[in-house]
Amino acid sequence: MKLNDPTLLHVDSYINGGWVAGKTRFAVTNPANGEVIAEVADLGSAEVTAAIDAAVPAQKAWAKRTAKDRAMVMRKWYDLVMANAEDLAVILTTEMGKPLAEAKGEIAYGASFIDWFAEEARRVCGDVLETPQADKRLLTFKQPIGVFGAITPWNFPIAMITRKVAPGIAAGCACVLKPAEQTPLSALALAELAERAGLPAGIMNIVTGMNAPAIGETMCADDRIRKMTFTGSTEVGRILMRQSADSVKKMSLELGGNAPLLVFDDADLDKAVTGAMMSKFRNAGQTCVCANRIFVQDGIYDAFAKRLAEATDALQVGNGMTDGVEQGPIINDQGLAKIKRHVEDAVGKGAILLTGGKPHALGGTFFEPTVLTEMTSDMQLFREETFGPVAALFKFNDEDDAIAMANDSEFGLAAYLFTENAARLFRVSEALEFGIVAVNTGIFSSEVGPFGGLKNSGLGREGSKYGIDEFLEIKFVCVGM
Ligand code: NAP
């Protein structure tokens, strides 16, 4: 891996401001070619406890500093992330596989949370409440929740960390974070830059390791961790919630999705095709908000399917470091197997392949960008998130039916709709049981909009003016006069 600043590449964990090697290592590989790119410290429960030991006193001191002071450190961190964006993107693409241009986009997106929450830190305000008794005064203080545990996935190795850590440290908390085992290098590079920015030892601890269940359990079992924040599968989210019950921790969970994308006859076809391409094929379909089920009204169905298949056919697949590549590899064999299973199941039950449908000629975990039509609700893809480059088209006739099909899911993260009819826009947006509704666009994420889901897609909101609340407690102070 060629970096302008090779000192960004760390292979040891970052605990209490020091780099910890541990006794054993695990290999991080490049999903584009299977090459081992680093041997990273394989730590576990003992180091999580050591990190919590460090975080507790560090957090108390950090919380005593003024919000302005914390914001200035964060602002420096933001500047350093942006100044090193090229190198961070190379690290990200090499360990995760997404095209370099997308990786650069993620660095800017990830950094935006640091910038945003540095500003939000200064706008945390308690209240003076109108008193119901003349001899009392009522106030609220907003105070940091304390030390929090964070566990993040591989699909956004930078942004899923900053979306949690930035509001937390802005609020005056400290964290112990475990990154996904596929993508620890991006997390460690972020820690290096945070240290250069002046973040004190113990505030952001990164524990890398293969034994995620033990690491998670240690975090959840420790009373000193007052909150868990997690992005990943619903299954693991449930485990963490159960394990956190005894110490009654506050939870933020960003879990699985199964996003519907509705295209009505009155949609602008260009907007709908462009939006569907962006939503579906970004990160090779490996985002929790990728359109999984595309519902198209019968009047526009054939034209939409034809245009979508043409655009899908034109996608360049390859190593994300190669210029012009728009779709990289799937993260691992397990991911690839699920995509194959969904396509085979759909075709076996009558779906039609318009393009793609099998592993790519490049080999490894590359998969052809795929469009399926004539999908039905008895197919596996209808219920489960595919997490791959498969656009699955379902036909509908009536608005109410489309809404019912879209809502027929245990998940409720993101939904998309395409219509030029203003009344329908509001009607359908209100009826969709999802935390996020994107209208006439395939991309909605930013630091300003609240991100989070309903039902089995999770709890809480990240980013936005609401995101910092997840790391604050409200204290009620009643003063007798
Ligand atoms: P995952 O298996 O749940 O892994 C996510 C993180 O949890 C990784 O760091 C993993 O560690 C760790 N982990 C695994 N088992 C654990 C356990 N028993 N206890 C504690 N931690 C554990 O999810 P994934 O398959 O990598 O990621 C894809 C899923 O994440 C999809 O369902 C997707 O929808 C969801 N996602 C949601 C959002 C959102 O914002 N809602 C965003 C991105 C992804 P290891 O890497 O060491 O296994």
Side-chain angles (χ1 to χ4, degrees):
M1 197 186 313
K2 265 186 125 175
L3 301 176
N4 299 318
D5 178 359
T7 62
L8 285 177
L9 197 63
H10 280 282
V11 293
D12 294 333
S13 286
Y14 183 71
I15 298 172
N16 198 17
W19 299 96
V20 179
K23 293 193 182 82
T24 53
R25 328 281 304 166
F26 65 96
V28 178
T29 54
N30 181 340
N33 54 25
E35 278 172 16
V36 173
I37 49 180
E39 297 279 350
V40 172
D42 185 10
L43 306 185
S45 297
E47 290 84 2
V48 170
T49 303
I52 300 171
D53 292 345
V56 170
Q59 187 269 325
K60 289 195 166 45
W62 179 242
K64 282 199 181 123
R65 288 167 68 164
T66 62
K68 181 176 178 181
D69 197 14
R70 291 196 298 271
M72 281 166 68
V73 175
M74 291 181 68
R75 182 67 213 191
K76 263 194 216 156
W77 188 23
Y78 167 79
D79 287 341
L80 285 167
V81 170
M82 292 309 290
N84 289 278
E86 293 276 327
D87 279 350
L88 291 172
V90 170
I91 294 171
L92 200 164
T93 291
T94 310
E95 66 177 347
M96 191 269 146
K98 69 177 64 172
L100 192 64
E102 267 190 53
K104 285 182 190 161
E106 182 181 338
I107 307 304
Y109 173 56
S112 73
F113 292 108
I114 306 175
D115 181 42
W116 172 266
F117 284 110
E119 293 173 353
E120 288 296 288
R122 302 179 63 184
R123 312 203 200 302
V124 172
C125 302
D127 293 304
V128 178
L129 307 171
E130 192 55 42
T131 182
Q133 292 147 335
D135 61 347
K136 299 217 170 86
R137 295 294 177 268
L138 277 46
L139 305 95
T140 60
F141 295 172
K142 287 195 180 169
Q143 294 182 313
I145 193 158
V147 178
F148 66 96
I151 300 181
T152 51
W154 48 265
N155 61 348
F156 288 89
I158 291 277
M160 292 306 101
I161 293 179
T162 55
R163 206 161 74 176
K164 297 176 187 318
V165 173
I169 65 175
C173 299
C175 74
V176 179
L177 182 140
K178 190 206 89 69
E181 69 190 58
Q182 292 94 341
T183 57
L185 304 176
S186 295
L188 296 170
L190 270 180
E192 164 70 31
L193 295 173
E195 184 179 75
R196 288 185 201 171
L199 193 70
I203 298 300
M204 177 181 174
N205 302 280
I206 311 272
V207 180
T208 54
M210 292 265 280
N211 193 347
I215 292 173
E217 199 177 355
T218 308
M219 287 182 185
C220 294
D222 199 307
D223 281 337
R224 297 171 298 170
I225 297 250
R226 295 315 311 147
K227 176 192 172 74
M228 286 298 295
T229 171
F230 170 73
T231 294
S233 60
T234 297
E235 189 192 347
V236 172
R238 287 194 184 106
I239 294 173
L240 297 174
M241 208 168 170
R242 278 188 209 111
Q243 289 175 339
S244 296
D246 283 346
S247 52
V248 196
K249 294 191 205 313
K250 188 161 169 164
M251 305 295 293
S252 291
L253 301 171
E254 297 286 354
L255 309 176
N258 184 353
L261 185 149
L262 280 60
V263 183
F264 288 93
D265 282 348
D266 55 24
D268 176 318
L269 188 59
D270 288 336
K271 273 191 217 165
V273 172
T274 307
M277 289 300 294
M278 290 175 110
S279 160
K280 178 66 257 183
F281 292 103
R282 192 163 62 102
N283 208 5
Q286 303 171 108
T287 89
C288 50
V289 296
C290 277
N292 202 51
R293 299 167 296 152
I294 301 178
F295 300 104
V296 190
Q297 203 162 10
D298 42 15
I300 201 173
Y301 187 89
D302 290 340
F304 178 84
K306 182 169 177 287
R307 289 273 306 274
L308 193 76
E310 284 164 6
T312 303
D313 246 353
L315 286 173
Q316 296 295 313
V317 180
N319 186 324
M321 291 301 292
T322 308
D323 264 358
V325 161
E326 294 162 295
Q327 184 186 300
I330 302 305
I331 189 73
N332 57 22
D333 291 338
Q334 228 183 327
L336 184 72
K338 186 178 189 188
I339 297 163
K340 277 166 64 182
R341 175 164 63 78
H342 278 192
V343 173
E344 281 162 16
D345 170 76
V347 172
K349 289 176 181 157
I352 307 290
L353 269 173
L354 286 194
T355 184
K358 56 183 190 308
H360 197 277
L362 285 169
T365 58
F366 289 97
F367 197 84
E368 292 175 347
T370 297
V371 177
L372 286 165
T373 59
E374 310 305 323
M375 293 291 297
T376 51
S377 61
D378 60 333
M379 296 171 182
Q380 286 176 9
L381 184 147
F382 187 86
R383 300 271 157 225
E384 293 174 34
E385 191 180 26
T386 306
F387 239 56
V390 179
L393 274 51
F394 300 74
K395 196 181 282 179
F396 73 89
N397 166 261
D398 172 78
E399 181 180 302
D400 288 341
D401 289 347
I403 292 168
M405 280 199 290
N407 287 342
D408 183 10
S409 170
E410 64 176 295
F411 299 108
L413 185 54
Y416 303 80
L417 74 113
F418 288 84
T419 177
E420 295 295 308
N421 177 324
R424 171 171 276 156
L425 181 168
F426 285 103
R427 208 165 50 232
V428 178
S429 297
E430 284 175 14
L432 286 168
E433 295 163 359
F434 291 81
I436 302 161
V437 178
V439 183
N440 293 331
T441 178
I443 297 281
F444 55 78
S445 289
S446 78
E447 72 279 23
V448 182
F451 192 104
L454 314 181
K455 302 199 274 190
N456 291 348
S457 290
L459 292 173
R461 294 294 178 268
E462 291 190 332
S464 80
K465 66 176 181 174
Y466 310 107
I468 202 163
D469 293 341
E470 305 280 337
F471 298 87
L472 294 166
E473 290 282 23
I474 295 175
K475 183 178 284 175
F476 167 43
V477 178
C478 178
V479 183
M481 305 291 285

